[in-house]
Amino acid sequence: MVNNEDTILVVDDDRVARTALVRILELEGFEALGFADGAAALGYLADAQAPCLIVLDMRMPVMDGAAFREALLKEPRLAAIPVVVLTAYDASAASELSVLRVFTKPLDIEAFVKLLHENVDSD
Amino acid sequence: MTKLSITDELTPVALLAAIIDSSDDAIVSKSLDGIILSWNRAAERMFGYSATEAIGQSITLIIPSDRLAEEDYVLGQIRKGSKVDHFETIRQTKDGQLLDISLTVSPIKNERGEVVGASKIARDVTHRKRLELEREELLAREQSARVRLTEAIGARDEFIAVAAHELRSPLHAMVISMHLLRKLCDDPAAMPRVIELIEDLKRELDGFVSLLERLFDVTKIQTGTFELHREPFDLSQLVDQIVGRFSKVHPAISLHVESRIEGIWDRARIDQAISNLLSNAVKYGANKPVAVSATVAGETAVISVRDEGRGISSEDLARIFDQFERVAPRTAADGLGLGLWIARQIAERHGGTISAQSTVGKGSTFTISLPLRTK
C-alpha cells in the first residue's frame, strides 16, 4: 500500500490545467498526483492509502465528478477525505456533494492555496 | 301639412307584412308537413329562390342532404308546441353554396291554440363564423408561437450555460499555466517546462479564440450580417492544405482530389466548413482511417469526408445540422454543437448544400456540394 497520507489528488480531464495544478501544488510543498477522470482516480484509491485531500473537476468523461463523489461516500475508508470541487459551471451545481469548498473556474489560486494550507499540513 | 303616422297609412296586417318584407333576416313559414307557406325578400336574397319558386315546395329544398334529420327534430319540437331557439346549422342556397345560419323556429297557433305550422327566422352567420374561425386560427398560431418561443428561450439559456462552461475551461487552464509560468521563471533549470507551458498556453488561447469566433458567427448569422468574401481559387488545393494540417494530429487521412476545381467562393469560410467536418471525423472517428475527396459532378464541386467511427442514428441525423445540436453527449467531448450548423450556413449561403449519410457502427459520410458558378 502506498503511503500517501500527505498526497493531494487532482482529478480533471483537462491535461493542461491538471498537470500545471499538480506542479503548483508541488511547489507549494504538497505531494500531488493527477488523474484524468473519476474512474482512474478510484482505481488508484483501491490500492492506496487515503490521500489528505482531493481536488475534483465536475465534467469529465468515463466517470464525472458527481459519480466519483458518490463512490467515495459509499466507501467508509474514503468517505471522510476532504474534497475541493473545481467547476466551470455554476457553483450551486456542486452544492449537494458535501464537499469542503466549491471553486468556479478560472480558479482563484491564492484563495485555493490558502484553503489547502489551512486544511492540510504541507512539508 | 299634417304628418301621417305609419299606423294611419297601413292596416295592422299590412304593417306586419311590411316589417317582414323589410327584415334582413329570412322569415319563412311552413306547415307541419314542412311545406313552405311564405318566403320573404330576405329569404329570396339569402337562399336564391324567389317566393314563387319556394312556396309550395318542401323546406328540405334548402336543407343539405346530410342534415335532413334535423328537420324531423325541428318539426317534432314544433308539434309539441316548443320553440327551437338560435339553433346553429348549415343551409344550402339555390346555387349549392353552404351558409352558416342561426335558426329560430316557433310554432304558429290558430285561434283555438292548436299548432298549425311554424315560422322560421334564419340569420346568415357565415361572416361571424368565419371571424370566429379566423380568431381560433390566430389563437392557435399565437399559442404555437409561444411554445416555439419558450423552446427557443430554453435552448438559448442552455447554450449560454454551455458557452460559459466552454469559455471558463480554457481560461482556467490559462490562469493556472500563467501562475505556474511565473513561479518557474525564477528557476533556470525549469526552462524546458516553461517552453512546454508557453506552447500549452498558445494552444489554449487558439482554442479560446476559435470558440469566440464561432460565437460571433452565430451572432452574425442571426443578425443577418454574416457576409461572404468571394474570390476565385482552386478548391483541390485548399482541401489538400486542410488535410495537410489535420494529418499532423491524425496520420490516417487519405485524400482523393481532382486536379483544379476552380470556383468563386469565400476561401476562409469554405476552409472553416471543411475543417469542421474533418475535425468531427477525427474526434468521433474512433482513431480509424478518414477519407477525404474533392470531385466535380456536373456543375457542382463535391467535397466529402468519410469516417469509420460509431456512426449516427437516423433520428440524430435528422437534427444534426440544427443549431445547438450535437450527437455526442455533452460530457464526452468539448463543443457547443455549433460547428455543423455554421458549416450548413456556409454551404447554403454559397448556394450549396450539406448532407450526411451514416450507418450505426460503420461510420458517417458528410458531403458539401458547392455550385461551380455563382448565380
Side-chain angles (χ1 to χ4, degrees):
Chain A
M1 188 174 270
V2 187
N3 181 0
N4 60 355
E5 57 193 358
D6 298 329
T7 305
I8 294 176
L9 301 197
V10 177
V11 191
D12 191 337
D13 62 325
D14 184 333
R15 181 192 61 82
V16 174
R18 182 182 67 243
T19 53
L21 192 58
V22 164
R23 187 74 192 107
I24 288 170
L25 291 175
E26 287 170 351
L27 290 173
E28 289 292 334
F30 302 103
E31 294 282 319
L33 281 172
F35 295 92
D37 64 76
L42 215 54
Y44 167 81
L45 285 171
D47 297 326
Q49 201 176 341
C52 60
L53 190 133
I54 297 172
V55 179
L56 181 65
D57 179 31
M58 291 305 290
R59 202 190 78 164
M60 291 180 289
V62 189
M63 180 189 256
D64 67 10
F68 176 72
R69 180 65 183 136
E70 206 177 306
L72 284 186
L73 290 171
K74 274 188 196 156
E75 178 66 58
R77 191 174 65 87
L78 306 173
I81 306 169
V83 172
V84 173
V85 163
L86 304 188
T87 178
Y89 287 113
D90 193 78
S92 62
S95 61
E96 287 172 8
L97 297 178
S98 60
V99 295
L100 182 62
R101 175 94 180 257
V102 180
F103 285 96
T104 51
K105 295 179 176 183
L107 179 64
D108 177 348
I109 300 176
E110 272 76 31
F112 174 72
V113 169
K114 185 166 173 279
L115 178 86
L116 296 193
H117 282 299
E118 283 166 5
N119 287 276
V120 180
D121 293 329
S122 57
D123 295 331
Chain B
M1 209 171 118
T2 326
K3 236 181 174 177
L4 286 172
S5 77
I6 193 165
T7 43
D8 294 329
E9 296 243 339
L10 298 166
T11 63
V13 172
L15 178 61
L16 272 178
I19 291 170
I20 289 170
D21 238 23
S22 59
S23 165
D24 273 342
D25 292 338
I27 302 174
V28 171
S29 62
K30 62 182 178 184
S31 69
L32 284 179
D33 306 329
I35 301 300
I36 298 167
L37 302 172
S38 70
W39 186 261
N40 73 345
R41 281 196 204 171
E44 290 184 326
R45 283 197 301 274
M46 204 179 286
F47 300 112
Y49 296 99
S50 68
T52 325
E53 285 173 306
I55 292 169
Q57 298 265 11
S58 165
I59 193 69
T60 55
L61 185 68
I62 57 165
I63 303 178
S65 54
D66 59 338
R67 287 182 180 264
L68 286 171
E70 278 177 10
E71 184 57 9
D72 296 335
Y73 163 75
V74 169
L75 287 176
Q77 291 296 105
I78 294 302
R79 283 193 195 101
K80 283 194 280 178
S82 304
K83 190 178 172 188
V84 177
D85 222 353
H86 300 298
F87 174 58
E88 296 218 333
T89 183
I90 291 169
R91 290 294 177 258
Q92 194 165 2
T93 65
K94 189 179 178 181
D95 59 13
Q97 194 191 333
L98 296 174
L99 301 179
D100 287 302
I101 62 162
S102 169
L103 203 60
T104 298
V105 190
S106 315
I108 301 171
K109 294 175 182 171
N110 63 16
E111 286 162 353
R112 292 187 300 278
E114 296 158 347
V115 178
V116 291
S119 81
K120 202 167 164 165
I121 301 175
R123 174 164 294 178
D124 185 352
V125 292
T126 308
H127 182 63
R128 197 194 81 204
K129 282 272 180 188
R130 200 171 58 228
L131 286 181
E132 276 173 11
L133 204 67
E134 277 172 16
R135 207 180 119 258
E136 278 165 24
E137 278 171 7
L138 277 175
L139 204 66
R141 237 183 292 163
E142 192 265 346
Q143 276 165 348
S144 92
R146 197 181 286 260
V147 168
R148 282 202 307 278
L149 184 66
T150 310
E151 284 170 357
I153 290 172
R156 189 206 59 190
D157 289 349
E158 196 200 341
F159 172 72
I160 291 171
V162 176
H165 180 279
E166 296 297 319
L167 291 170
R168 278 174 171 184
S169 298
L171 265 183
H172 172 70
M174 285 190 271
V175 164
I176 302 242
S177 302
M178 292 286 281
H179 185 91
L180 180 57
L181 204 51
R182 177 65 199 90
K183 294 220 165 221
L184 295 181
C185 277
D186 301 333
D187 177 8
M191 199 43 76
R193 181 73 180 109
V194 166
I195 293 167
E196 214 177 282
L197 272 172
I198 292 172
E199 278 165 3
D200 280 346
L201 266 171
K202 192 187 173 315
R203 266 193 302 275
E204 292 292 331
L205 202 55
D206 287 347
F208 190 79
V209 170
S210 110
L211 182 58
L212 278 185
E213 293 293 347
R214 268 180 287 152
L215 290 174
F216 282 131
D217 282 348
V218 173
T219 313
K220 281 185 199 161
I221 290 164
Q222 284 179 334
T223 54
T225 54
F226 185 86
E227 284 174 7
L228 296 181
H229 302 285
R230 290 174 182 267
E231 55 178 326
F233 69 91
D234 179 3
L235 187 66
S236 352
Q237 212 175 44
L238 176 68
V239 173
D240 193 39
Q241 280 170 11
I242 297 169
V243 169
R245 270 198 327 256
F246 276 87
S247 294
K248 288 177 192 157
V249 289
H250 189 89
I253 304 178
S254 68
L255 177 64
H256 165 70
V257 285
E258 281 182 22
S259 65
R260 299 195 76 77
I261 305 176
E262 303 275 356
I264 303 174
W265 304 293
D266 184 326
R267 189 188 173 96
R269 290 299 184 187
I270 298 296
D271 186 329
Q272 183 186 357
I274 299 171
S275 296
N276 178 267
L277 299 189
L278 207 46
S279 160
N280 284 344
V282 169
K283 203 187 288 180
Y284 303 115
N287 286 322
K288 291 182 183 161
V290 172
V292 180
S293 71
T295 52
V296 171
E299 292 297 299
T300 312
V302 181
I303 307 112
S304 85
V305 177
R306 195 182 75 234
D307 68 60
E308 296 171 22
R310 63 182 164 209
I312 304 160
S313 71
S314 53
E315 188 196 21
D316 286 336
L317 267 184
R319 61 179 178 85
I320 197 167
F321 294 108
D322 292 346
Q323 198 175 4
F324 311 142
E325 291 292 355
R326 61 209 299 282
V327 170
R330 290 219 187 275
T331 50
D334 293 339
L336 282 168
L338 289 177
L340 283 177
W341 181 69
I342 295 171
R344 174 182 153 197
Q345 305 298 321
I346 293 171
E348 288 178 356
R349 269 154 213 259
H350 279 88
T353 58
I354 189 165
S355 62
Q357 281 90 42
S358 187
T359 311
V360 173
K362 295 214 166 159
S364 313
T365 304
F366 283 81
T367 307
I368 294 177
S369 301
L370 298 169
L372 285 169
R373 282 178 189 77
T374 318
K375 274 175 195 156

